Amino acid sequence: MLGLSLEKLIVFAVIAALVIGPQRLPQYAQRLGALVRTLRDLLDTTRERTRAELGADLSAGEWRRLDPRRYDPRAIVRDALAADPATPASASPAPPTVSAPPAEPAAAPAAPAPATPQRRRPRYDSAGRVIRTPA
């Protein structure tokens, strides 16, 4: 619970009561109660929607299995490779195909392409601004 113990909560409540004062303390306690009720309702609504969308009630173990922090791509690939059937040992790979050399060499282009000046790509500094260099 965020590293809060009962003693720390009591000290926090006493300091809050002294800072807020006896006149405003009931108003703040009422607001805190309303906030806690709202959060509980939100949690209950989320649970109900999850149950409705998933169709079945999930146990704590199933929830842990669905935890995205447990996602390990290497384990998924390892499981997928283990599920593939192994190739039989008697099957040999097909021999490589050799294509015949071309009968005639390729014709050279008739005229060289006109030389176009290469456009330099802009350079950027660490802040993402373009560094202007002389042409």
Side-chain angles (χ1 to χ4, degrees):
M1 195 175 113
L2 303 173
L4 295 176
S5 63
L6 182 62
E7 296 85 20
K8 290 178 185 177
L9 289 174
I10 291 173
V11 170
F12 181 72
V14 169
I15 292 173
L18 291 174
V19 171
I20 293 173
Q23 288 86 16
R24 292 183 289 170
L25 187 60
Q27 296 168 356
Y28 284 103
Q30 187 178 21
R31 287 184 186 174
L32 180 63
L35 177 68
V36 169
R37 279 190 297 279
T38 303
L39 290 175
R40 267 192 207 150
D41 291 342
L42 178 66
L43 183 61
D44 289 339
T45 304
T46 304
R47 277 191 198 134
E48 290 302 320
R49 288 182 72 187
T50 304
R51 283 186 189 129
E53 289 178 12
L54 292 178
D57 221 5
L58 295 177
S59 67
E62 291 169 330
W63 277 111
R64 274 188 234 107
R65 185 179 53 83
L66 294 173
D67 187 6
R69 293 175 291 185
R70 295 182 51 125
Y71 173 74
D72 184 15
R74 290 174 289 193
I76 293 172
V77 170
R78 189 178 325 117
D79 294 342
L81 290 176
D84 286 345
T87 57
S90 63
S92 61
T97 58
V98 179
S99 61
E104 295 179 19
T116 58
Q118 291 286 332
R119 189 165 184 209
R120 298 176 77 186
R121 295 179 62 193
R123 294 178 45 205
Y124 299 95
D125 63 4
S126 61
R129 296 180 299 248
V130 175
I131 298 173
R132 297 186 186 268
T133 56

